Amino acid sequence: MNRWLIGLLAGPLAIGACKNDASNLLRGAGDDSLGVEAVDPGAGPVPAGLPGQALASKAPALRRLTHREFELTASAFLGVPVSAEVLPRDARTPFDNDYSTQAISDAFVRPLESMAEKLAASVIADPAKRDAVVGCVPTGPGDVECFTSFVKHFGRLALRRPLETDEVLSFTALIEVAKARNDFYVAVDLALRSFLQHPEFLYRVEVGSLVGGSPGLVKLNGFEVATRLAFFLTGAGPSDALLDRAAAGKLDQPQGIRNAAAELLATPAARAQVLRMFQMWMGYERLAQPDPLANAMRTESDALVEKVIFDDNRPWLDVFRSTETYISDALATVYELPLPGAQPKWVSFGPGRKGLLSQGSLLSNGQKFGDTSPTQRGKWILEQITCDGVLPTPPGLKLDEPPKAETANACKHDRYMALQANPSCASCHKSIDGIGFGLEGYDETGKRRKIEPGRPDCAIDGKGNIPGAGAFSGPAELTDLLLKSGKLSQCMFKQVKRFANGRRELDSADEEYVGSFSKQYSGEVKMKDFLLDMVSSEAFGSRRSP
Amino acid sequence: MSKNVINRRSLLRGLGGVAIALPALEIMGWSRFAHAAPVVKKKFVSMLAGGSLGDMPAIKGGNGKVHPATVGQNYETTVALKPLEKYKVKPLVGIATGLRIPTGSSEPGARLSPDKDTLFHGHTVFPQLSGEKDPSLKQGDFTPRGSTCDQIVAAKLGAKYMNARVQPTSYRGGGADSGRGLMSYNKGVKRDPYASPRTIFDTFLSNFEGAAGAAAATGPSPEVLAARAGRKSVLDLVGGGIQRLNKRLGAADALTMQSHLEFIRQIEKDLDSIDIAAGGTSCRKPTPLGADPAVGNDGAAIGWSGENLRATTMVDLLALGLACDLWQVSTLQVSFHQVFVSANLACGVDTTLDIHELGHGQYKTADDVPRCVAWAIDPFARLVSLLQAQKDVDGSPMINNTALTMCFEGGWGETEGDGSHSTENMIALYAGLAGGMKPQHVRADGAHPAQVLYSAMTAVGVADPLGDFNTRLPGMFA
């Protein structure tokens, strides 16, 4: 009997248990009935033509867990809520897992020690949770067998690999403390605190083994693949079941990884992870609007992404094309639509709006000087949605004051247009601001407007253009132009790659990797298919040393 | 048995408890430090306020809102300097004025970019704090190549240090912990600050009894010793894990782990030399601390997270830590480079703008910007007053053994800036009597603000260069 089931079922991830049987990989049921080489019908076979090892991403062997990863992972195997707020917060680039921004400091290490102490105490204080974590009932303070089994099992979950014999012994020596203090759980407490601060818990370790004939190329072992897979798709470390698969060698081949990934993608944790990826990518993780409007805005966007990608499993571009949206009364008021009533509902967006780009959450991006900024909005679209990027701001420009026109008290449109009259500014601002001008008919909450704020004399025409693509007015027409450009999916490949890499910078191998996916899909792509293809490529199980 | 099995030291640590209280006391060396002669340690504090907080063009010309006109000890208390009177610390505080960071030149500590605006924020900060030329032409990359003054001093003195910040998040632009919320680097590696007073309290002070506590006479209680022994056992296992992992890593990753291990070792060292006997009589049991004020408006254009209360609490904690020898060196960043903090809630100015925009000529009265400079100076003055009141281990006022500095992101000027974005006419405050410092108004036209910091470093006995600087600012010493 797998006694670890006692406890792990009580953990927070058990919420997925009744949703879908596929949550075994998170719940730790130890079900490894699927064969390594067999094709899981839900996963499908690994397609030909996916990026090979040569296109593995550059990555260090260590990457520290983010706040979110720490919280999800620790709460999963401790069975108690975990907040990492006391640790220095993660930078966003736009994702929170950019290892190039991470550094270790006293302000991380010391509060972590305190946090680990409190977490362990909270587990020990609750007999049900404690027993679940320990997995056995000790016969006395010095029950070495029970303590050893706890160390082996918990240690494997925490370090994401089996412990070596000498490592086990170093932990089980703590039983002497339990004997001296006549309390078995003193040793459990110390072990929990040690694991929560252990480097192989705090850092994702990808040492792997060097691939002969390919300098710098490292093939990850099965446990490292399980770790990479779990953090990428669920935001948390691997479960018992996934580690079991790694131990059985079932993650050594792409098909085995694909099968496991398909199961993970069927879990609530994967939904939450994908939604969060979109929140950071699309700039609505944190919204400046006060609640309840901010919550309503985030809920609207989450609902659309979840429906398209998970509920309906439609082509991912439908997040831009959808003519329906999920709104509450707060947002209906903003959008000037009929109130849905007590609960949010799916409603028709009506004319002029479609998809994410019409939603208040995305339209909240690009504010400056107390209002929307055509420059900032255009820049945001070019950087985050089409991945065209913009040139660095040239030296000597005044960025901290609103643009000025020759005419005093000029309208905002004229002030921004004045930038285009300046030869040194024109080339960039023409390509950037045109996009923002086309969205000016919508304020930072997504509400339509016809005049500039506080300037009844300044009418907004809301007409914009993308050089080389055409003119548009409003987010629906902008969406049409972007869809026509074919850039949206390629940008999505890049953004997901950045998220998977944990690094904003994409090098030439990464660009080639992204390009290969652009070639891979002749038609439209579903996000889950793309994620499955990513993780079952040879490149996923490898890294290049920086 | 494998040599990697828990070592005897760890085991003894883990065995701490009532039954072994006496052996544990010996292990901890309690009797040694309980009777050790007190040693006065020099203390170094570096503070920074973001924002363009200098005098504004419209009020320049010596109207006395920020810069005092009179040099020497009897300088005027300008609007910006009112906190010095509020806390009655003016005789202990000096001000250097007329400072300038050269721009676009090869002069020491210059901002390399001639750009006055695009590369302003943050790019003015580290030329001061590290004394280096601005290392980057890339907007938003403020990282110095070397170390900031606090890290240099801490390394030289072998001192424990604390990096703290009042403003908890950036609000607009750059995310919660963009580089604009940093003021400490060690050899180019950032030192994240503690941004929560509550976290500092929980981490360092929650079980702290202070020098006046019962434990001062008898030594720590068996329960305290047991808890401490448990921590040591845990840290041993963590350190062992790091060393084990390091054997499998390449050089770059091993450096990361080595750095991590050093922080673990510092905690261990602190446990060995901890607390009560180290401080003087001013090392007292702290009053319990409530929750931090809520972080507000994260991601918004203008934010407010109760910075005034945060500043007061943070300063009180810093002072207590100095009194109890929890740290000897400290930084405190009052605000991010650019200050998207509500000027109304912070400084009581009649405006809906943030402090940064106020600095762009958006003020209504000539007092508005100086009042926000005063807001930034208030925690500095409070800390000086606390250190004046606190007794060091030899019974002398702690301020006698301390050097404090406070720098600002910008000054004002039309030659190399536009008034709001300039590194001309900058000011820096200094305080304390360590090393013969003489608090007064030092008119130092054209001097680099890093010289003020370097001078303060020398006041605590550190003569290592601060980046490009190795000369004192004349006038700061008697």
Side-chain angles (χ1 to χ4, degrees), chain B residues 145-228:
Chain B
R145 293 154 296 176
S147 299
T148 47
C149 54
D150 58 299
Q151 292 293 317
I152 295 170
V153 171
K156 190 70 178 178
L157 299 182
K160 292 178 281 188
Y161 62 89
M162 160 60 64
N163 299 124
R165 186 174 75 208
V166 172
Q167 185 182 335
T169 187
S170 63
Y171 306 121
R172 179 176 6 143
D177 272 287
S178 68
R180 294 181 297 136
L182 298 168
M183 66 171 289
S184 180
Y185 280 80
N186 185 300
K187 297 175 183 170
V189 178
K190 68 175 179 178
R191 292 290 184 243
D192 282 310
Y194 288 82
S196 153
R198 179 59 196 246
T199 298
I200 293 179
F201 181 85
D202 286 348
T203 304
F204 292 93
L205 297 163
S206 57
N207 296 314
F208 193 77
E209 294 192 19
T218 61
S221 66
E223 291 75 19
V224 168
L225 284 172
R228 198 174 292 170

Side-chain angles (χ1 to χ4, degrees), chain A residues 61 89 101 104-107 110 113 118 164 166-167 173 177 180-181 197 203 395-398 400-401, chain B residues 4 6 14-15 115 117-118 121 177 190 192 194 204 231 244 253 257 259-260 270 298 356 360 418 421:
Chain A
R89 298 171 76 174
T101 67
I104 198 70
S105 59
D106 185 77
R110 282 186 199 264
E113 191 205 9
K118 286 177 183 165
E164 302 286 342
D166 59 338
E167 286 179 296
V177 186
R181 302 280 296 277
Q197 298 174 72
Y203 295 83
L397 296 187
K398 189 179 294 298
D400 272 351
E401 292 179 12
Chain B
N4 287 320
I6 190 169
L15 284 166
D115 182 357
D117 297 309
T118 320
H121 303 293
D177 272 287
K190 68 175 179 178
D192 282 310
Y194 288 82
F204 292 93
R231 287 178 67 190
R244 181 187 182 89
D253 291 308
M257 277 297 95
S259 177
H260 195 134
D270 292 352
D298 204 1
H356 170 251
H360 276 283
D418 58 2
H421 275 179

Side-chain angles (χ1 to χ4, degrees), chain A residues 329-348:
Chain A
D329 283 356
L331 265 181
T333 304
V334 171
Y335 296 164
E336 297 169 323
L337 293 171
L339 302 183
Q343 297 297 321
K345 285 182 182 165
W346 287 100
V347 300
S348 171

Side-chain angles (χ1 to χ4, degrees), chain A residues 269-292:
Chain A
R271 287 186 178 225
Q273 175 77 340
V274 170
L275 293 185
R276 191 150 186 281
M277 180 182 73
F278 268 83
Q279 289 173 6
M280 292 187 283
W281 167 17
M282 301 285 184
Y284 58 91
E285 180 199 14
R286 291 192 295 246
L287 291 163
Q289 285 71 26
D291 284 334

Side-chain angles (χ1 to χ4, degrees), chain B residues 98-103 105 107 416 423-426 444 446-449:
Chain B
L99 306 174
R100 169 179 168 267
I101 300 176
T103 301
S105 75
E107 293 177 59
E416 294 178 343
T423 45
E424 302 160 274
N425 295 301
M426 299 178 75
H448 197 291

